[in-house]
Amino acid sequence: AGAGAGAGDAEEHDGEAAPRVRAVGPGVTIPRQTLHWHATAVRCLTFSGGAGSLVSGGDEATLVTWQLATGSRGFLPRLGSSIRGVASAPDGTLSVVVTADNAVRAVSAAENKELWSLRGLGIASPWTPASTLTAAASTLTVDPRTHALVLTGPHASGALQFFDHARDRHHFDLQV
């Protein structure tokens, strides 16, 4: 869906407007809302409960923050490549974005700007289902000796990657 009016748009099903509230049980309903901006498929979406917002990304390489209470949107364009994954801090102050060019970026919600980025790490597996992001995150640890971030190497490489975050560079690979 292209650039549209926003939160007030109703979905249509078989030519008729869909109800704004969906029944989910006896006497229980949930509000429903359709948001428009992305011109191509949304690749990732996360909810930030503390900030009351949704954060979405896709092939436009633009991070969109949707303020649900007000209906306003914030944009962070030109992230360099298609957005493949996004996660937000519980309090909504920070989002972490993974892009197809294999960069990881931290974004300040308050300032709507990139705070830092990591580049040059190999992707452990293709970014397809949402569970891949969870699996990749669970393989991240810190080496107690060097304090480097350690994560699995590119898919089927049998390597561990060590990233020196203090110097912002790839430290070394360890074949296992």
Side-chain angles (χ1 to χ4, degrees), residues 154-169:
H155 184 64
S157 72
L160 294 175
Q161 298 174 95
F162 288 72
F163 183 82
D164 184 343
H165 57 87
R167 293 187 181 104
D168 193 23
R169 67 180 179 89

Side-chain angles (χ1 to χ4, degrees), residues 81-100:
S81 187
S82 177
I83 299 172
R84 296 292 189 229
V86 64
S88 289
D91 64 2
T93 59
L94 182 74
S95 292
V96 176
V97 180
V98 176
T99 54

Side-chain angles (χ1 to χ4, degrees), residues 1-3 36-42 44 56-60 62-64 66:
H36 291 282
W37 182 83
H38 293 278
T40 61
V42 171
C44 54
S56 62
D59 290 337
E60 302 93 352
T62 299
L63 191 68
V64 183
W66 309 82

Side-chain angles (χ1 to χ4, degrees), residues 14-77:
D14 299 322
E16 295 188 22
R20 293 202 185 275
V21 177
R22 180 186 306 163
V24 294
V28 179
T29 58
I30 357 179
R32 191 164 121 170
Q33 191 174 23
T34 301
L35 305 170
H36 291 282
W37 182 83
H38 293 278
T40 61
V42 171
R43 300 263 182 202
C44 54
L45 178 71
T46 188
F47 176 70
S48 174
S53 62
L54 289 173
V55 180
S56 62
D59 290 337
E60 302 93 352
T62 299
L63 191 68
V64 183
T65 302
W66 309 82
Q67 297 301 327
L68 299 177
T70 64
S72 65
R73 299 176 294 216
F75 302 95
L76 183 59

